[in-house]
Amino acid sequence: MEKQKMTQISFWVFAMLLFCTVISIRIQELMRNEVTVLSPVEERKLQGLSFPARCLCENSDGMTGVWEVVREKDAMGEQIRVRFREVQLISQDETTAVILNEGYELHIVDYFAYPLDEAMVVEIISNELEEQAMKSQLDSQKKNLYQLAFFVLIYFIVTWIANYLLKGLFHKKPWQAVLGIGILIVSAYLVYHAMGAVDIPRAYLPEEQIFDIGFYLEG
């Protein structure tokens, strides 16, 4: 009996870890800083590259540069990150900046939802959303949020059923335990899929972590 209880406790720990892993992966994707990207225009007479002056910024060391979008590979696969690149300024007015063309392809961040940090993983969007467009997108997500809540409920119901089926290990019915694990994994995938359908505009989410209750209360 003691062994059976320990097995069931271990199963619940596994089920909770599986659930948290599935949710955290999707939350990490949802919390990526959204940016728009532009490519500078070649200025042959000045041997430079021109782009909107608003893209120029200074880093913590006081160096003038731009946020460059790069694709890098790591243990998680290919990631889109931003890197601060110092530039040599040729000219600048209120609207346009021209920098020295050093012969490399450059993709510059124009709009960003939240302040950028070195090596931050970002998500490229086609254009900056206006307030009304973001509100419309947020309203359209209600169905996806209800669907997510439904599958989360299903997951915990399935966990309870799978835990019951796990008793088959102690009654010479191992197929019951296999069935329980199988339906648990399927329900975890459904939660993962439902979470992936949720696409809340980044500006409507906290800057650092999604469970910042103060942020939502202020909103």
Side-chain angles (χ1 to χ4, degrees), residues 32-48:
R32 286 176 180 169
N33 202 345
E34 293 178 337
V35 302
T36 61
V37 178
L38 58 82
S39 297
V41 177
E42 185 177 1
E43 296 285 351
R44 294 186 178 179
K45 291 183 179 180
L46 298 176
Q47 294 184 338

Side-chain angles (χ1 to χ4, degrees), residues 63-83:
M63 296 185 297
T64 300
V66 295
W67 286 106
E68 179 186 13
V69 174
V70 297
R71 296 180 182 271
E72 299 178 348
K73 290 185 177 180
D74 56 21
M76 300 296 292
E78 186 176 74
Q79 302 280 3
I80 301 175
R81 299 181 182 273
V82 290
R83 298 285 184 183

Side-chain angles (χ1 to χ4, degrees), residues 34-38 69 108-112 123-129:
E34 293 178 337
V35 302
T36 61
V37 178
L38 58 82
V69 174
I108 299 173
V109 172
D110 185 8
Y111 159 81
F112 45 87
E123 178 182 354
I124 298 175
I125 58 176
S126 57
N127 56 276
E128 178 184 355
L129 294 177

Side-chain angles (χ1 to χ4, degrees), residues 49-110:
L49 300 170
S50 67
F51 53 85
R54 63 176 179 269
C55 297
L56 283 175
C57 57
E58 289 188 358
N59 66 0
S60 57
D61 297 324
M63 296 185 297
T64 300
V66 295
W67 286 106
E68 179 186 13
V69 174
V70 297
R71 296 180 182 271
E72 299 178 348
K73 290 185 177 180
D74 56 21
M76 300 296 292
E78 186 176 74
Q79 302 280 3
I80 301 175
R81 299 181 182 273
V82 290
R83 298 285 184 183
F84 184 83
R85 180 180 287 275
E86 186 180 5
V87 296
Q88 186 173 338
L89 196 61
I90 297 176
S91 67
Q92 180 184 0
D93 57 30
E94 292 182 356
T95 60
T96 306
V98 180
I99 62 173
L100 181 66
N101 186 353
E102 299 181 15
Y104 52 79
E105 189 175 7
L106 191 61
H107 300 286
I108 299 173
V109 172
D110 185 8

